[in-house]
C-alpha cells in the first residue's frame, strides 16, 4: 500500500448545470464517507458551476479549476488567472489534461507555465500527463511521460505542491481501464523519473493518481497497487458511483 495520503479528484469536464451542481453537492459530495486524514477529495466543476458547489459544500471536499491562464490578469479575453482563482478561495487546479493538450493545442511548455503559475499562487496543481494509444503500442509511454514532466522540471524546482495524474489517453472515456499491473508499472517509472530528475523526496512524497475509466467496479483493485495514490475520475465523478470510489480509497488506507 502507498504510504502517501490518497487523493481522489472528480473532473466534471464541460458537464453540469446550476441545478446539477447544487443537487450533486448536497446528495453525493456532502455524503461522501471518508476521513480527510486518509484521503483528499477534490472536485472540479466548470468555472461557471464552481461557486454553486463552493457555496453548498460542507464535507472537507476541495474545489479545483480545470484550467488556468498562461498569463496574469489583463487583456486576455476568456481567461481566468491563477491569482483570481486564489482570490476566489480555490486551492487546486488541474493542468495539462489531455483534452487541453490535444483539442486546445496546449504544448508541454504551456502546461509547464500554467503549472508554475498555479504553484506561484499557492495552489496544489494536479498535473496531468499520459500517452496516446499509438505511443503505448509503440513502446514509448515512459518517454512521453518523461518529456511532459521534463518541460515542467525546466520551470519548476519545488514539486512539493504538485500531484501527478497519469491518464493514458486511450483509457479516457473509453471504458478501457489500464490493468492494475500496467498502471503500477507506469507509475513506478514516473517515480523513478522523479528520483532521477527532481529529488528522492519528490519521488517518495509526490502523489501519482491514475485516471482513465476509473469506476466503482475497478477502483478497489487499482488502489491496492503501491504506487497508485488515488484517482482522477471523469465520467464516474458525475454519478453516485463517485461515493464508492472515494470509499474504496478510504477503506484501503484505513
Ligand atoms: P473518464 O474517467 O471519463 O475516463 O475520464 C478520465 C479523465 O479524463 C479525468 O480527468
Amino acid at each position: 500500500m502507498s504510504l502517501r495520503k490518497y487523493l481522489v479528484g472528480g473532473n466534471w469536464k464541460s458537464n453540469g448545470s446550476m441545478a446539477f451542481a447544487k443537487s450533486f453537492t448536497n446528495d453525493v459530495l456532502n455524503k461522501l464517507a471518508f476521513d480527510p486524514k486518509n484521503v483528499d477529495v477534490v472536485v472540479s466543476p466548470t468555472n461557471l458551476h464552481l461557486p454553486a458547489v463552493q457555496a453548498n459544500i460542507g464535507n472537507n471536499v476541495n474545489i479545483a479549476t480545470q484550467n488556468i491562464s498562461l498569463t496574469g490578469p489583463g487583456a486576455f479575453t476568456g481567461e481566468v488567472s491563477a491569482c483570481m482563482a486564489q482570490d476566489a478561495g480555490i486551492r487546486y487546479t488541474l493542468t495539462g489534461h489531455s483534452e487541453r493538450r490535444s483539442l486546445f493545442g496546449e504544448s508541454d511548455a504551456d502546461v509547464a507555465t500554467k503549472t508554475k503559475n498555479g504553484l506561484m499562487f499557492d495552489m496544489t496543481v494536479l498535473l496531468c500527463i499520459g500517452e496516446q494509444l499509438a505511443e503505448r503500442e509503440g513502446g514509448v509511454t515512459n518517454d512521453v511521460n518523461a518529456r511532459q514532466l521534463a518541460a515542467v522540471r525546466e520551470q519548476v524546482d519545488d514539486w512539493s505542491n504538485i500531484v501527478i495524474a497519469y491518464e493514458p489517453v486511450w483509457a479516457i472515456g473509453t471504458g478501457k481501464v489500464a490493468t492494475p499491473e500496467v498502471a503500477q508499472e507506469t507509475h513506478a517509472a514516473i517515480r523513478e523519473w522523479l528520483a532521477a530528475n527532481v529529488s528522492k523526496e519528490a519521488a517518495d512524497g509526490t502523489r501519482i493518481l491514475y485516471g482513465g475509466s476509473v469506476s466503482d467496479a475497478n477502483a478497489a483493485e487499482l488502489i491496492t497497487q503501491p504506487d497508485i495514490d488515488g484517482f482522477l475520475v471523469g465520467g464516474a465523478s458525475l454519478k453516485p458511483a463517485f461515493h464508492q470510489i472515494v470509499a474504496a480509497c478510504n477503506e484501503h488506507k484505513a
Side-chain angles (χ1 to χ4, degrees):
M1 181 178 80
S2 157
L3 299 173
R4 294 158 289 270
K5 186 176 179 182
Y6 289 150
L7 189 151
V8 180
N11 174 10
W12 289 10
K13 309 192 180 185
S14 195
N15 293 297
S17 64
M18 294 304 283
F20 174 83
K22 283 183 201 156
S23 64
F24 194 80
T25 301
N26 289 325
D27 299 345
V28 179
L29 298 178
N30 283 344
K31 294 182 182 156
L32 293 175
F34 70 101
D35 183 339
K37 288 204 278 302
N38 298 335
V39 190
D40 289 320
V41 179
V42 182
V43 61
S44 192
T46 71
N47 285 349
L48 215 52
H49 301 132
L50 200 146
V53 175
Q54 211 175 14
N56 289 284
I57 203 89
N59 190 16
N60 291 306
V61 175
N62 299 284
I63 318 270
T65 48
Q66 296 175 10
N67 179 29
I68 45 167
S69 175
L70 264 178
T71 67
F76 304 105
T77 301
E79 294 296 305
V80 170
S81 69
C83 75
M84 290 170 186
Q86 184 199 43
D87 176 59
I90 296 155
R91 310 302 310 276
Y92 288 81
T93 188
L94 313 188
T95 59
H97 192 279
S98 70
E99 288 146 20
R100 302 290 327 160
R101 293 177 189 263
S102 66
L103 303 176
F104 300 100
E106 290 190 12
S107 67
D108 294 341
D110 291 341
V111 174
T113 302
K114 290 182 173 203
T115 301
K116 183 182 71 178
N117 289 352
L119 296 173
M120 210 156 45
F121 288 92
D122 296 328
M123 301 176 89
T124 295
V125 177
L126 275 54
L127 165 65
C128 305
I129 62 168
E131 83 287 3
Q132 307 271 345
L133 179 59
E135 293 166 333
R136 165 68 58 180
E137 289 174 347
V140 294
T141 295
N142 293 341
D143 302 323
V144 170
N145 287 336
R147 189 198 75 222
Q148 294 179 354
L149 292 166
V152 177
R153 182 69 186 92
E154 274 184 35
Q155 298 197 41
V156 176
D157 292 327
D158 180 356
W159 284 53
S160 50
N161 289 323
I162 292 182
V163 176
I164 296 171
Y166 167 60
E167 302 205 298
V169 180
W170 47 268
I172 295 178
T174 59
K176 281 195 214 160
V177 66
T179 63
E181 294 72 28
V182 163
Q184 166 58 29
E185 185 184 63
T186 311
H187 283 221
I190 293 167
R191 220 172 276 297
E192 274 170 35
W193 184 93
L194 288 168
N197 295 281
V198 183
S199 65
K200 170 147 183 9
E201 292 69 41
D204 291 342
T206 302
R207 289 176 287 181
I208 306 177
L209 316 181
Y210 168 78
S213 296
V214 174
S215 72
D216 49 339
N218 55 40
E221 195 186 358
L222 284 162
I223 201 62
T224 62
Q225 298 298 317
D227 287 299
I228 297 183
D229 305 314
F231 302 115
L232 188 54
V233 185
S237 76
L238 295 155
K239 300 187 183 138
F242 193 59
H243 183 99
Q244 277 78 46
I245 296 169
V246 171
C249 292
N250 187 64
E251 277 161 30
H252 196 256
K253 181 57 93 182

